[in-house]
Amino acid sequence: MAETEIVVRPFKMIGEVFTGVAGVFLIITAVGQDWVEVQFFRTSHVITWGLWDICVGGVCLPDSGWLEICRGMLLLAVLLSLTAFVCGVVGLCVHSHCSKRVWFLLAGALLSLVALLDLLTLIIYPVMFNMDIIHLQTDSHWTYPLKTWNFDWTFGFGWGAFIFTVAASVFFILPLDDKKTVSNPF
């Protein structure tokens, strides 16, 4: 008599680990204050801006809605990432092959949405920040000419989260045959 055994492939477990790493990276990205490092001529110090900073050291970005949109998208990505992590854990714990597949597909779909939200945030932030800095340079009351601005370490964690999220999504969506028929000689 042959019996059906459900096997969990390592791809799903790797996807779960990647989801956890991506979630941690997204949290670091969301709470970090060092997205962009700005240096001006005639000043010796460097100013850093993040998602939550509008004014740093008396230097203020213009009040616009793009920063709130970036914050909202990244916070939604964090919540969806945590939800996808829970879906992956449930998928690993469920014994029915059909239920496993549904939970893994749900986790993969959520992670695809997380990757999209993270990518949009990582594109919108530098474009709009650049426009705001250029706007500040043309302001007649502005006294410090811009020397340079660079991305800082927190922005890099955002890209790391994007890469891990895409990889985890692929691992969860891959259709692997988890059903295995084994013969029991006894």
Side-chain angles (χ1 to χ4, degrees):
M1 171 164 136
E3 72 183 56
T4 302
E5 185 178 289
I6 296 178
V7 178
V8 177
R9 304 282 183 202
F11 289 114
K12 306 305 180 188
M13 288 184 260
I14 293 170
E16 189 65 20
V17 170
F18 280 9
T19 302
V21 171
V24 169
F25 280 13
L26 282 170
I27 290 170
I28 291 171
T29 302
V31 300
Q33 296 182 4
D34 301 329
W35 274 52
V36 175
E37 183 180 276
V38 181
Q39 189 174 16
F40 297 99
F41 287 108
R42 292 185 262 163
T43 60
S44 60
H45 65 284
V46 174
I47 298 172
T48 58
W49 269 292
L51 280 178
W52 306 98
D53 303 326
I54 295 175
C55 294
V56 177
V59 180
C60 297
L61 290 174
D63 190 18
S64 57
W66 69 267
L67 202 54
E68 288 83 18
I69 291 171
C70 286
R71 277 186 224 137
M73 285 193 302
L74 199 59
L75 290 177
L76 182 60
V78 168
L79 292 174
L80 291 175
S81 175
L82 295 175
T83 305
F85 185 81
V86 170
C87 288
V89 168
V90 171
L92 288 172
C93 294
V94 169
H95 294 293
S96 167
H97 175 71
C98 225
S99 296
K100 268 186 182 307
R101 188 74 189 133
V102 168
W103 284 108
F104 289 149
L105 283 176
L106 181 60
L110 288 173
L111 288 169
S112 297
L113 186 58
V114 168
L116 179 65
L117 290 169
D118 188 25
L119 181 65
L120 286 174
T121 302
L122 294 171
I123 291 172
I124 291 171
Y125 187 91
V127 169
M128 297 307 293
F129 183 84
N130 187 38
M131 290 175 60
D132 283 352
I133 288 291
I134 290 172
H135 175 71
L136 283 175
Q137 296 297 306
T138 60
D139 190 1
S140 62
H141 301 326
W142 187 255
T143 57
Y144 301 110
L146 177 68
K147 184 175 182 181
T148 183
W149 67 273
N150 300 312
F151 299 113
D152 216 345
W153 65 273
T154 310
F155 191 76
F157 269 95
W159 280 107
F162 172 74
I163 291 167
F164 276 105
T165 303
V166 168
S169 176
V170 168
F171 283 139
F172 278 126
I173 292 175
L174 276 176
L176 298 174
D177 185 23
D178 287 339
K179 276 192 175 181
K180 184 178 184 183
T181 305
V182 292
S183 296
N184 191 354
F186 300 104

